[in-house]
mmCIF file of all heavy atoms in Angstrom:
data_model
loop_
_atom_site.group_PDB
_atom_site.id
_atom_site.type_symbol
_atom_site.label_atom_id
_atom_site.label_comp_id
_atom_site.label_asym_id
_atom_site.label_seq_id
_atom_site.Cartn_x
_atom_site.Cartn_y
_atom_site.Cartn_z
ATOM 1 N N ILE A 237 10.380 -152.720 -80.267
ATOM 2 C CA ILE A 237 10.898 -151.400 -80.642
ATOM 3 C C ILE A 237 9.750 -150.470 -81.052
ATOM 4 O O ILE A 237 8.746 -150.918 -81.606
ATOM 5 C CB ILE A 237 11.932 -151.535 -81.799
ATOM 6 C CG1 ILE A 237 12.634 -150.217 -82.101
ATOM 7 C CG2 ILE A 237 11.288 -152.076 -83.066
ATOM 8 C CD1 ILE A 237 13.819 -149.934 -81.217
ATOM 9 N N LEU A 238 9.940 -149.207 -80.747
ATOM 10 C CA LEU A 238 8.966 -148.189 -81.166
ATOM 11 C C LEU A 238 9.070 -148.005 -82.684
ATOM 12 O O LEU A 238 10.140 -147.721 -83.206
ATOM 13 C CB LEU A 238 9.304 -146.869 -80.457
ATOM 14 C CG LEU A 238 8.405 -145.678 -80.745
ATOM 15 C CD1 LEU A 238 7.021 -145.882 -80.122
ATOM 16 C CD2 LEU A 238 9.041 -144.389 -80.215
ATOM 17 N N THR A 239 7.963 -148.186 -83.393
ATOM 18 C CA THR A 239 7.997 -148.010 -84.854
ATOM 19 C C THR A 239 7.340 -146.705 -85.296
ATOM 20 O O THR A 239 7.539 -146.254 -86.415
ATOM 21 C CB THR A 239 7.302 -149.184 -85.565
ATOM 22 O OG1 THR A 239 6.006 -149.363 -84.986
ATOM 23 C CG2 THR A 239 8.113 -150.466 -85.427
ATOM 24 N N SER A 240 6.533 -146.111 -84.433
ATOM 25 C CA SER A 240 6.008 -144.772 -84.699
ATOM 26 C C SER A 240 5.467 -144.212 -83.387
ATOM 27 O O SER A 240 4.762 -144.906 -82.655
ATOM 28 C CB SER A 240 4.905 -144.805 -85.760
ATOM 29 O OG SER A 240 4.508 -143.494 -86.085
ATOM 30 N N GLY A 241 5.844 -142.975 -83.104
ATOM 31 C CA GLY A 241 5.435 -142.375 -81.839
ATOM 32 C C GLY A 241 4.436 -141.267 -82.054
ATOM 33 O O GLY A 241 3.493 -141.403 -82.831
ATOM 34 N N VAL A 242 4.681 -140.165 -81.370
ATOM 35 C CA VAL A 242 3.766 -139.040 -81.494
ATOM 36 C C VAL A 242 3.916 -138.434 -82.898
ATOM 37 O O VAL A 242 5.009 -138.395 -83.457
ATOM 38 C CB VAL A 242 4.036 -138.006 -80.366
ATOM 39 C CG1 VAL A 242 5.379 -137.339 -80.507
ATOM 40 C CG2 VAL A 242 2.925 -136.980 -80.274
ATOM 41 N N ARG A 243 2.771 -138.064 -83.494
ATOM 42 C CA ARG A 243 2.784 -137.530 -84.866
ATOM 43 C C ARG A 243 1.956 -136.256 -84.934
ATOM 44 O O ARG A 243 0.826 -136.209 -84.457
ATOM 45 C CB ARG A 243 2.197 -138.567 -85.846
ATOM 46 C CG ARG A 243 2.962 -139.870 -85.893
ATOM 47 C CD ARG A 243 2.726 -140.657 -87.184
ATOM 48 N NE ARG A 243 1.396 -141.166 -87.375
ATOM 49 C CZ ARG A 243 1.095 -142.488 -87.444
ATOM 50 N NH1 ARG A 243 2.047 -143.410 -87.297
ATOM 51 N NH2 ARG A 243 -0.132 -142.871 -87.668
ATOM 52 N N SER A 244 2.543 -135.261 -85.564
ATOM 53 C CA SER A 244 1.848 -133.984 -85.723
ATOM 54 C C SER A 244 0.792 -134.088 -86.824
ATOM 55 O O SER A 244 0.729 -135.074 -87.569
ATOM 56 C CB SER A 244 2.854 -132.897 -86.097
ATOM 57 O OG SER A 244 3.297 -133.099 -87.431
ATOM 58 N N ILE A 245 -0.006 -133.048 -86.940
ATOM 59 C CA ILE A 245 -1.020 -133.002 -87.995
ATOM 60 C C ILE A 245 -0.372 -133.002 -89.376
ATOM 61 O O ILE A 245 -0.849 -133.652 -90.304
ATOM 62 C CB ILE A 245 -1.917 -131.759 -87.793
ATOM 63 C CG1 ILE A 245 -2.781 -131.974 -86.555
ATOM 64 C CG2 ILE A 245 -2.773 -131.482 -89.020
ATOM 65 C CD1 ILE A 245 -3.446 -130.729 -86.033
ATOM 66 N N VAL A 246 0.742 -132.299 -89.503
ATOM 67 C CA VAL A 246 1.426 -132.243 -90.800
ATOM 68 C C VAL A 246 1.945 -133.633 -91.186
ATOM 69 O O VAL A 246 1.795 -134.076 -92.328
ATOM 70 C CB VAL A 246 2.590 -131.220 -90.767
ATOM 71 C CG1 VAL A 246 3.469 -131.331 -92.001
ATOM 72 C CG2 VAL A 246 2.029 -129.800 -90.642
ATOM 73 N N LYS A 247 2.535 -134.319 -90.221
ATOM 74 C CA LYS A 247 3.025 -135.676 -90.476
ATOM 75 C C LYS A 247 1.876 -136.599 -90.886
ATOM 76 O O LYS A 247 1.964 -137.355 -91.851
ATOM 77 C CB LYS A 247 3.720 -136.211 -89.218
ATOM 78 C CG LYS A 247 4.053 -137.696 -89.236
ATOM 79 C CD LYS A 247 5.211 -138.012 -90.165
ATOM 80 C CE LYS A 247 5.508 -139.512 -90.158
ATOM 81 N NZ LYS A 247 6.635 -139.848 -91.029
ATOM 82 N N GLN A 248 0.766 -136.504 -90.159
ATOM 83 C CA GLN A 248 -0.383 -137.362 -90.463
ATOM 84 C C GLN A 248 -0.981 -136.991 -91.818
ATOM 85 O O GLN A 248 -1.410 -137.862 -92.565
ATOM 86 C CB GLN A 248 -1.439 -137.226 -89.354
ATOM 87 C CG GLN A 248 -2.527 -138.293 -89.385
ATOM 88 C CD GLN A 248 -2.035 -139.666 -88.957
ATOM 89 O OE1 GLN A 248 -0.982 -139.785 -88.334
ATOM 90 N NE2 GLN A 248 -2.766 -140.708 -89.303
ATOM 91 N N MET A 249 -0.975 -135.713 -92.126
ATOM 92 C CA MET A 249 -1.459 -135.247 -93.436
ATOM 93 C C MET A 249 -0.636 -135.888 -94.550
ATOM 94 O O MET A 249 -1.178 -136.412 -95.531
ATOM 95 C CB MET A 249 -1.360 -133.713 -93.503
ATOM 96 C CG MET A 249 -1.762 -133.081 -94.815
ATOM 97 S SD MET A 249 -3.535 -133.198 -95.198
ATOM 98 C CE MET A 249 -4.282 -132.109 -93.977
ATOM 99 N N HIS A 250 0.676 -135.861 -94.385
ATOM 100 C CA HIS A 250 1.549 -136.428 -95.406
ATOM 101 C C HIS A 250 1.303 -137.926 -95.570
ATOM 102 O O HIS A 250 1.183 -138.434 -96.684
ATOM 103 C CB HIS A 250 3.020 -136.154 -95.042
ATOM 104 C CG HIS A 250 3.974 -136.536 -96.125
ATOM 105 N ND1 HIS A 250 5.115 -137.253 -95.882
ATOM 106 C CD2 HIS A 250 3.956 -136.314 -97.458
ATOM 107 C CE1 HIS A 250 5.765 -137.454 -97.017
ATOM 108 N NE2 HIS A 250 5.083 -136.890 -97.987
ATOM 109 N N LEU A 251 1.199 -138.619 -94.431
ATOM 110 C CA LEU A 251 0.941 -140.063 -94.489
ATOM 111 C C LEU A 251 -0.389 -140.351 -95.176
ATOM 112 O O LEU A 251 -0.502 -141.252 -96.001
ATOM 113 C CB LEU A 251 0.907 -140.655 -93.071
ATOM 114 C CG LEU A 251 2.226 -140.754 -92.310
ATOM 115 C CD1 LEU A 251 1.955 -141.227 -90.882
ATOM 116 C CD2 LEU A 251 3.194 -141.703 -93.007
ATOM 117 N N PHE A 252 -1.402 -139.542 -94.824
ATOM 118 C CA PHE A 252 -2.739 -139.805 -95.361
ATOM 119 C C PHE A 252 -2.804 -139.514 -96.863
ATOM 120 O O PHE A 252 -3.396 -140.276 -97.623
ATOM 121 C CB PHE A 252 -3.791 -138.978 -94.607
ATOM 122 C CG PHE A 252 -5.201 -139.322 -95.004
ATOM 123 C CD1 PHE A 252 -5.766 -140.534 -94.626
ATOM 124 C CD2 PHE A 252 -5.953 -138.450 -95.772
ATOM 125 C CE1 PHE A 252 -7.063 -140.873 -94.997
ATOM 126 C CE2 PHE A 252 -7.259 -138.774 -96.150
ATOM 127 C CZ PHE A 252 -7.810 -139.987 -95.765
ATOM 128 N N LEU A 253 -2.184 -138.432 -97.275
ATOM 129 C CA LEU A 253 -2.203 -138.106 -98.712
ATOM 130 C C LEU A 253 -1.436 -139.171 -99.508
ATOM 131 O O LEU A 253 -1.863 -139.576 -100.590
ATOM 132 C CB LEU A 253 -1.607 -136.714 -98.961
ATOM 133 C CG LEU A 253 -2.375 -135.537 -98.336
ATOM 134 C CD1 LEU A 253 -1.729 -134.201 -98.731
ATOM 135 C CD2 LEU A 253 -3.855 -135.546 -98.739
#
Side-chain angles (χ1 to χ4, degrees):
I237 188 84
L238 180 70
T239 52
S240 186
V242 67
R243 299 202 294 243
S244 71
I245 290 165
V246 169
K247 169 73 180 181
Q248 193 72 18
M249 177 68 69
H250 188 226
L251 289 174
F252 187 71
L253 296 184

